[in-house]
Amino acid sequence: MSERSERTDRLSVSDPSPLWEVFVRARRGLSHTHVGSLHAPDAELALRNARDLYTRRQEGVSIWVVPAGAITASSPDEKDAFFDPAADKVYRHPTFYEVPDGVAHL
Amino acid sequence: MSTLFDFTLALGDDALIAAQRLGEWTSRAPEMEEDIALANIALDQLGAARLLLTYAGELEGAGRDEDALAFLRDDREFRNCLLVELPNGDFAVTMAKLFFLSACQLPLYTALAGCADERLAAIGAKARKESAYHLDHASLWVKRLGDGTEESHRRMQAAVDEVWPYLHELFAADPAAPVDPATLRAGFDAAVSAVLDEATLARPADGWMPGGGRDGVHTEHLSYLLAEMQVLHRAHPGARW
């Protein structure tokens, strides 16, 4: 019997089953898409729970799990400043530039 | 065990009774995610049981299909190991039972996948993948609970100690079988010891070795389980819905 390890980072007494956000890329998908959240004691079990809950164990899917606490979200209150382009700064718009002839696929 | 029918029936009964016990957790597991995982595993076991019992019925040649074998035999006719009929207990006991059962089923199904009997080989190839997942799931919980809090460690050790005596029956020698379970014991011991070490759990000493399940001599728990499992089928013979 080995020494009991300190797993404070993996299994906290205050929250034994924290929230995780789940991103899945389908077999033919191009990118990971947020599909939902779940509770799990650690990343390994979060992955397995995600497989049961969100992928039904299909072959060839990729799953990412992230502790919900690790995600920083934009604030809804700052939406205007955050997402609205400054319309008066024309030099920041791609339409400001003349595209030279002969440049394809820009 | 002696014939191919006996061997197939015993494996089918192991899976059927394990599925029935796991099904008792539905809506009662510690958290929603685990509830779904346990239901998934129960359905995997039930699927293997159906394949095995269907084949056992054909081998017997007495016209008994999977339903007749599952719902119209009493406890003395069941050939499952005692391990699977033990009550669920707390979550640690359930995980100890699942851990030991899947650590036995995985090498057995894997060996069956290469055996001479085509039907058993096909069933083994299918069930092997599911068993690997069951073992993985139970191993994670044994490690987490064993190497978790003082209370979870205490409960997991108590569960391992409680279940350990019932393992030996799973590896009783059967030289005539397509796969002799006795040949799988060394691999099982190595796999189980590795997980117990990581879980900081002590491996119990071998002592009392109850058996009898393969001969239809069961604990007091099986007849209650069967009464619940079979009541509908016996009340409405041949019902379809």
Side-chain angles (χ1 to χ4, degrees):
Chain A
M1 182 165 159
S2 58
E3 196 63 29
R4 300 280 303 285
S5 67
E6 283 293 323
R7 270 206 191 176
T8 47
D9 59 323
R10 307 184 64 178
L11 192 70
S12 79
V13 178
S14 60
D15 186 6
S17 201
L19 190 68
W20 300 75
E21 299 298 332
V22 182
F23 301 79
V24 172
R25 183 170 60 77
R27 196 184 331 182
R28 291 191 180 78
L30 292 171
S31 59
H32 287 73
T33 307
H34 181 246
V35 291
S37 54
L38 51 81
H39 287 273
D42 56 38
E44 280 179 291
L45 269 164
L47 268 184
R48 280 149 185 91
N49 289 342
R51 194 195 59 163
D52 286 346
L53 284 163
Y54 294 112
T55 72
R56 311 301 288 172
R57 294 193 227 165
Q58 294 169 47
E59 307 294 329
V61 292
S62 164
I63 304 172
W64 289 346
V65 291
V66 186
I71 294 174
T72 308
S74 59
S75 158
D77 302 338
E78 297 167 1
K79 197 162 61 105
D80 290 352
F82 214 81
F83 294 113
D84 272 10
D88 58 332
K89 298 192 178 79
V90 70
Y91 51 84
R92 290 178 57 178
H93 300 170
T95 53
F96 176 75
Y97 298 99
E98 295 282 333
V99 180
D101 288 344
V103 178
H105 313 301
L106 190 69
Chain B
M1 280 186 276
S2 48
T3 67
L4 191 60
F5 164 72
D6 294 326
F7 177 81
T8 307
L9 186 69
L11 286 193
D13 285 350
D14 284 355
L16 178 66
I17 302 303
Q20 182 71 12
R21 276 283 183 240
L22 286 165
E24 293 171 9
W25 274 103
T26 304
S27 82
R28 292 178 171 84
E31 52 192 20
M32 184 191 72
E33 290 80 1
E34 191 56 30
D35 207 274
I36 289 167
L38 288 175
N40 259 323
I41 295 169
L43 288 169
D44 285 346
Q45 294 281 356
L46 188 66
R50 292 187 60 183
L51 294 170
L52 288 160
L53 291 180
T54 299
Y55 185 39
E58 290 172 25
L59 287 168
E60 186 186 37
R64 291 203 286 185
D65 63 2
E66 53 177 329
D67 283 348
L69 286 171
F71 298 116
L72 296 175
R73 284 181 298 152
D74 64 23
D75 59 327
R76 295 303 294 264
E77 296 171 278
F78 268 79
R79 295 291 176 264
N80 56 280
C81 59
L82 303 183
L83 171 76
V84 294
E85 73 196 45
L86 298 177
N88 284 330
D90 64 8
F91 188 67
V93 171
T94 290
M95 279 303 139
K97 283 174 61 186
L98 181 62
F99 173 54
F100 292 135
L101 177 68
S102 50
C104 170
Q105 282 178 328
L106 177 58
L108 184 60
Y109 287 142
T110 303
L112 275 182
C115 81
D117 185 284
E118 276 186 24
R119 280 286 287 281
L120 283 178
I123 294 169
K126 180 182 184 298
R128 169 177 64 182
K129 288 185 239 171
E130 294 166 352
S131 281
Y133 168 70
H134 304 168
L135 180 58
D136 175 71
H137 186 86
S139 300
L140 285 175
W141 274 114
V142 169
K143 290 176 195 171
R144 259 154 208 72
L145 295 170
D147 193 15
T149 64
E150 289 300 324
E151 176 65 4
S152 73
H153 176 82
R154 183 188 67 76
R155 285 184 182 237
M156 196 67 239
Q157 184 69 63
V160 168
D161 293 348
E162 182 183 327
V163 169
W164 190 264
Y166 295 92
L167 293 184
H168 310 292
E169 183 186 25
L170 288 160
F171 299 100
D174 185 12
V179 174
D180 184 351
T183 61
L184 306 172
R185 181 71 202 240
F188 170 91
D189 283 339
V192 161
S193 293
V195 174
L196 292 180
D197 284 348
E198 198 175 337
T200 72
L201 296 166
R203 182 190 154 125
D206 292 345
W208 178 53
M209 295 189 186
R214 299 296 186 219
D215 304 313
V217 182
H218 292 278
T219 66
E220 66 271 34
H221 306 293
L222 183 63
S223 50
Y224 290 104
L225 179 149
L226 293 179
E228 187 173 30
M229 188 176 96
Q230 297 176 340
V231 62
L232 188 71
H233 197 86
R234 290 184 184 274
H236 305 279
R240 293 253 174 270
W241 59 84

